[in-house]
C-alpha cells in the first residue's frame, strides 16, 4: 500500500493532464458558443461536451514513465487506474464549470441525466482501445483512444437509425438504457486489455 501511495504523485504528473484538459475544453466550445448567443437550450452541445469529457480518459492509456515507475512494486493495472483517476479529476472540474454555466444561463436540459451513461461509454471505448494500443507499444495510443471515445458512441447512435429497436441513440427512447449494456461490454474489454502482462 505504501508503494501505491508513493506512485500517486509521479503517476498523476505523467498522466497527460494538459492534453486531457484541452480535449475537454474543446468539447465544451459548442456549449460556450450557445451560452454566448443566448440560445434557449444547450441540449445538443451538451452531448458533445459529455462525449469529449469521457473520451479524454483515453489520454490515461499512455504510460510515458513506464521505465521509471516500472521498478516500483505497483501493478501496471494500478498505475493505469491512477492515471485514469487523475484525468477524471481534471475532466470533472472542467465539466462542473460547464454545467454551472449552463445552469446559470438557459438552465440544464431535462435529459442531462441521460448524458452520464453516454459519457461513460465514451470513456470505456477510449480506454479500451488506448490500453490495447499502448500494450503493443503504439506511441499514439492516447490520441487514438480519444478518437475512439468520440467515434464509437457516434457510430452506435448512427447505426440506431438502421436498427432503432436494438441500438440506443442520444435521444430519449425506449432502448436508451441499452447504453449500459454497451458500457458493460466496454468495461470487460478494459479489464481484459488492462491486465498485468504477467497474468496473460
Amino acid at each position: 500500500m505504501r508503494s501505491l501511495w508513493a506512485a500517486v504523485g509521479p503517476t498523476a504528473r505523467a498522466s497527460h493532464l494538459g492534453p486531457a484538459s484541452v480535449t475537454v475544453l474543446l468539447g465544451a466550445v459548442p456549449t460556450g458558443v450557445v451560452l454566448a448567443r443566448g440560445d434557449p437550450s444547450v441540449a445538443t452541445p451538451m452531448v458533445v461536451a459529455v462525449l469529449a469529457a469521457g473520451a479524454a480518459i483515453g489520454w490515461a492509456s499512455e504510460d510515458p514513465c513506464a521505465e521509471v515507475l516500472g521498478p516500483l512494486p505497483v501493478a501496471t493495472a494500478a498505475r493505469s487506474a491512477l492515471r485514469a483517476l487523475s484525468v477524471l479529476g481534471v475532466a470533472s472540474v472542467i465539466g462542473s464549470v460547464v454545467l454551472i454555466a449552463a445552469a446559470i444561463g438557459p438552465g440544464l436540459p431535462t435529459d442531462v441525466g441521460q448524458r452520464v451513461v453516454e459519457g461513460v461509454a465514451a470513456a470505456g471505448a477510449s480506454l479500451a482501445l488506448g490500453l490495447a494500443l499502448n500494450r503493443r507499444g503504439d506511441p499514439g495510443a492516447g490520441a487514438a483512444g480519444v478518437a475512439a471515445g468520440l467515434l464509437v458512441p457516434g457510430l452506435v447512435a448512427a447505426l440506431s437509425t438502421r436498427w432503432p429497436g436494438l441500438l440506443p441513440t442520444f435521444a430519449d427512447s425506449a432502448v436508451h438504457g441499452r447504453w449500459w449494456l454497451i458500457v458493460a461490454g466496454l468495461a470487460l474489454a478494459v479489464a481484459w486489455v488492462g491486465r498485468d502482462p504477467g497474468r496473460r
Side-chain angles (χ1 to χ4, degrees):
M1 182 60 78
R2 183 176 299 178
S3 299
L4 182 62
W5 282 112
V8 169
T11 303
R13 288 193 294 270
S15 297
H16 293 296
L17 299 183
S21 300
V22 171
T23 302
V24 180
L25 287 171
L26 288 175
V29 167
T31 302
V33 171
V34 168
L35 292 175
R37 291 173 50 183
D39 290 356
S41 175
V42 293
T44 300
M46 192 67 69
V47 173
V48 178
V50 170
L51 291 180
I57 303 295
W59 290 111
S61 61
E62 293 189 15
D63 194 0
C65 292
E67 295 182 1
V68 177
L69 299 177
L72 288 175
V74 178
T76 303
R79 289 204 317 272
S80 297
L82 289 175
R83 292 194 307 273
L85 289 174
S86 300
V87 174
L88 179 62
V90 170
S92 298
V93 170
I94 299 174
S96 297
V97 172
V98 174
L99 288 175
I100 292 171
I104 293 173
L108 294 175
T110 57
D111 61 350
V112 68
Q114 296 180 355
R115 304 286 81 88
V116 174
V117 64
E118 298 160 5
V120 174
S126 64
L127 203 54
L129 180 64
L131 287 174
L133 293 177
N134 184 62
R135 296 300 184 261
R136 296 176 56 182
D138 193 323
V146 171
L150 296 173
L151 294 176
V152 169
L155 178 62
V156 171
L159 290 176
S160 70
T161 60
R162 176 65 177 84
W163 295 288
L166 179 64
L167 295 175
T169 183
F170 300 128
D172 187 16
S173 68
V175 297
H176 189 273
R178 293 190 181 175
W179 279 112
W180 288 113
L181 296 176
I182 295 171
V183 166
L186 291 171
L188 290 175
V190 170
W192 177 262
V193 300
R195 301 190 325 275
D196 288 327
R199 297 184 179 180
R200 299 186 180 191

